[in-house]
Amino acid sequence: MGDEVKTPLYAEIFEVLRDEIAAGIFPVGDLLPSEASLCKRFDVSRFTVREALRRLQAAGMVSRVQGAGSRVLRDTPSGVFVQKYRSMSDLTQFAEETNLEVLGTKNTLLDPDLANRIGGNAGDPWLSIRGVRRMPDGDPLALVESFVPQRFAAIAPDLARGPGPIYAGLAEAAGEPIRDVEQETQAMPAPPQVAQALGLVSGAPCLCILRRYSSQSGTLIASFNWHLGGDRYIHRTRIGLGQPPR
Amino acid sequence: MGDEVKTPLYAEIFEVLRDEIAAGIFPVGDLLPSEASLCKRFDVSRFTVREALRRLQAAGMVSRVQGAGSRVLRDTPSGVFVQKYRSMSDLTQFAEETNLEVLGTKNTLLDPDLANRIGGNAGDPWLSIRGVRRMPDGDPLALVESFVPQRFAAIAPDLARGPGPIYAGLAEAAGEPIRDVEQETQAMPAPPQVAQALGLVSGAPCLCILRRYSSQSGTLIASFNWHLGGDRYIHRTRIGLGQPPR
DNA sequence: TTTCAAGATTTGTCCAGACAAATTTTGCTT
DNA sequence: AAGCAAAATTTGTCTGGACAAATCTTGAAA
């Protein structure tokens, strides 16, 4: 019964060309066929072909020069980076552009291991929220875990909305401004749980981001744990000025 | 007369909307006018408006949702990205992991144009060092130009080693600590010189990084100009902590 | 052989229109 | 007031065509 996701034509063409480039049918350094001939081959309008080529270009696989043609720059999408989400404020945007599917919430006592990881006191009552962030098209992007003290449970719904809105909410709930945000980033093979949630193959690279919000008095207010997978990654935002590098 | 640079319509519209967003005419969080009304306002086809909106979206300023409209996410474009080397400390690592092939050194008087670009005084005697940074396997990665006052010529060999080691050397030569490091990043098609040095094809994206070191008293100590190409990028290092995102 | 101009090729810009798909609004019904 | 279905709105996909601008190719002239 139906329910199939309809793929745009340009997306199909993009995939065909991407795979053919990967297979070496169009070697790196060579020109792709012209737009006109691709139109004939796929029997579509130039708009559709250009849309596909534009995506190949966005993936860093193809360079397009007026008058010269489209040249193959590399045979795989230039994954890893971040094309879109780069800095902390981008993370806010990330939260706004994606949807959270809440998998569950849990009241727990902070176990020593986690307490150590997020810098809280073991045994304190904390609240845990787990969910999957999806692109508007349903593509899973990240597995997110939020940790806050249970006394902040009232703003739990806001927590689900991401780092932007919660920022003010956290400060308000804590009764003082947020003084510091720390972030640790680590690349690792996707843990089974993450791989399953994000549809990754076992062993696929995944990016783990741990983020801590502290109040003015140094109290830990919240901790977020992101696991990002697939070909969309995020980088660490760091301060580098004023201190000579070693 | 003549010699004018023709700007595409969508580029003009992009700039108008970008500036209006920056000016707060379309506040962050609000919807932009619909494509149809923008068509009327600028008296262009929907294609042209969509092309402009697409660029606003690519700049991270606007989110577009089918059926809902285009929403303003931020009032300034967000910068460039990253693949391997990301922060200032990564640049140090970059310098340590790569070899510099010195192409030449030159004593020059700071010409007005360059003086303006790097913030020095025109006519001062400066030293210029050009070279290619290569990966251990010989793969060319970046074309680097270093500029320092000739009174620092003694540490020129160190300059060739990259930003890490020179940091201390510069401070020592200047007789006072380095107070500030400024960095400007720009993505551009590789200039011929750069393309040739790095073995890039015409039209390949290249990243231009201009870095200025200033002493405590505000004197410019050194300026470095990097052109990075191929599939290895660097992004602008920014400070994002302490201020709650809006 | 070299140089240069004309032509051919290829991508960039732009239009007008059509329908599809998603969301929001409206208004009726309960 | 609340729920729900229809209508209106808005962006997404796609066609066909036209001309401009940049690059490459060809061939004649020097």
Side-chain angles (χ1 to χ4, degrees):
Chain A
M1 4 91 192
D3 220 44
E4 322 163 9
V5 183
K6 197 185 164 194
T7 310
L9 276 177
Y10 64 74
E12 289 182 22
I13 295 175
F14 165 84
E15 288 173 16
V16 169
L17 293 177
R18 182 199 58 193
D19 294 345
E20 290 183 348
I21 289 173
I25 297 176
F26 302 121
V28 171
D30 278 21
L31 287 176
L32 280 183
S34 71
E35 295 180 356
S37 65
L38 289 174
C39 288
K40 262 191 252 171
R41 171 180 166 191
F42 293 108
D43 193 27
V44 295
S45 75
R46 203 171 146 221
F47 170 89
T48 308
V49 161
R50 282 178 66 82
E51 204 64 32
L53 288 174
R54 175 172 233 160
R55 275 158 175 78
L56 283 174
Q57 188 178 30
M61 297 178 70
V62 160
S63 129
R64 291 157 61 60
V65 177
Q66 185 176 160
S70 304
R71 193 173 298 275
V72 178
L73 289 178
R74 47 188 304 157
D75 57 6
T76 54
S78 67
V80 191
F81 60 104
V82 164
Q83 187 151 22
K84 229 179 144 186
Y85 306 104
R86 288 158 289 210
S87 63
M88 184 156 311
S89 56
D90 284 334
L91 267 188
T92 305
Q93 182 186 344
F94 172 78
E96 280 167 0
E97 283 184 353
T98 58
N99 307 308
L100 186 82
E101 175 191 326
V102 176
L103 298 178
T105 62
K106 196 166 53 169
N107 289 311
T108 56
L109 301 183
L110 204 53
D111 69 69
D113 183 37
L114 183 56
N116 184 48
R117 268 171 56 214
I118 67 176
N121 296 320
D124 285 350
W126 277 61
L127 177 66
S128 155
I129 304 174
R130 273 168 34 87
V132 176
R133 285 221 162 263
R134 294 178 186 280
M135 293 297 278
D137 62 5
D139 201 22
L141 209 55
L143 184 65
V144 184
E145 285 182 295
S146 310
F147 299 97
V148 286
Q150 281 182 21
R151 63 193 167 100
F152 292 163
I155 60 168
D158 287 332
L159 287 177
R161 299 196 46 213
I166 66 155
Y167 213 108
L170 280 176
E172 194 178 342
E176 53 182 337
I178 291 187
R179 184 195 57 122
D180 205 10
V181 181
E182 284 179 347
Q183 185 166 308
E184 292 170 17
T185 306
Q186 193 179 6
M188 55 170 67
Q193 215 178 10
V194 174
Q196 200 214 336
L198 302 184
L200 303 177
V201 296
S202 168
C206 119
L207 203 64
C208 173
I209 300 182
L210 179 62
R211 219 151 127 203
R212 280 186 289 244
Y213 293 76
S214 305
S215 74
Q216 199 121 37
S217 59
T219 315
L220 183 68
I221 295 182
S223 166
F224 298 89
N225 207 353
W226 307 62
H227 286 270
L228 297 106
D231 56 353
R232 300 169 175 116
Y233 295 90
I234 294 207
H235 80 120
R236 150 180 75 108
T237 303
R238 269 310 296 152
I239 305 175
L241 303 186
Q243 289 297 334
R246 294 297 322 248
Chain B
M1 14 90 152
D3 223 42
E4 322 165 5
V5 182
K6 198 183 164 195
T7 311
L9 276 178
Y10 64 76
E12 289 183 22
I13 296 175
F14 165 83
E15 287 173 14
V16 168
L17 293 177
R18 181 199 59 194
D19 294 344
E20 290 183 348
I21 288 172
I25 296 176
F26 302 120
V28 171
D30 279 21
L31 286 177
L32 281 182
S34 71
E35 295 179 357
S37 65
L38 290 174
C39 288
K40 263 191 251 171
R41 172 180 165 191
F42 294 107
D43 193 27
V44 295
S45 74
R46 203 170 147 225
F47 171 89
T48 307
V49 161
R50 281 177 67 81
E51 206 62 31
L53 289 174
R54 172 172 236 158
R55 276 160 175 77
L56 284 174
Q57 189 178 29
M61 298 179 70
V62 159
S63 132
R64 292 157 60 62
V65 178
Q66 185 176 158
S70 304
R71 191 173 298 275
V72 178
L73 288 178
R74 48 195 308 164
D75 55 8
T76 53
S78 62
V80 197
F81 55 93
V82 156
Q83 187 154 357
K84 192 164 179 203
Y85 305 103
R86 289 159 290 209
S87 63
M88 183 154 312
S89 57
D90 284 334
L91 267 189
T92 305
Q93 183 187 347
F94 172 79
E96 280 167 0
E97 282 182 356
T98 59
N99 307 309
L100 186 82
E101 174 192 328
V102 177
L103 297 179
T105 62
K106 196 165 52 170
N107 289 313
T108 56
L109 301 185
L110 204 53
D111 71 69
D113 183 38
L114 184 56
N116 185 47
R117 267 169 58 214
I118 67 177
N121 297 319
D124 284 351
W126 276 62
L127 178 65
S128 154
I129 304 174
R130 274 167 35 87
V132 176
R133 286 221 162 262
R134 295 180 184 280
M135 294 295 279
D137 62 5
D139 201 22
L141 210 54
L143 185 64
V144 185
E145 284 181 296
S146 310
F147 299 98
V148 287
Q150 281 183 20
R151 64 194 168 99
F152 293 163
I155 60 169
D158 287 334
L159 287 178
R161 300 197 46 214
I166 67 154
Y167 213 109
L170 281 177
E172 194 177 344
E176 53 182 338
I178 291 188
R179 185 195 56 121
D180 204 9
V181 180
E182 283 180 345
Q183 184 166 309
E184 292 170 18
T185 306
Q186 193 180 4
M188 54 170 67
Q193 214 179 13
V194 174
Q196 200 215 337
L198 303 184
L200 303 178
V201 297
S202 167
C206 129
L207 205 65
C208 173
I209 300 182
L210 178 63
R211 218 149 129 205
R212 279 186 288 244
Y213 292 78
S214 305
S215 74
Q216 199 122 34
S217 58
T219 314
L220 183 68
I221 296 183
S223 167
F224 298 90
N225 207 354
W226 307 62
H227 284 271
L228 296 105
D231 57 351
R232 297 163 177 122
Y233 296 89
I234 295 208
H235 82 120
R236 150 180 75 109
T237 303
R238 270 308 298 150
I239 304 175
L241 302 186
Q243 288 298 333
R246 293 295 320 249

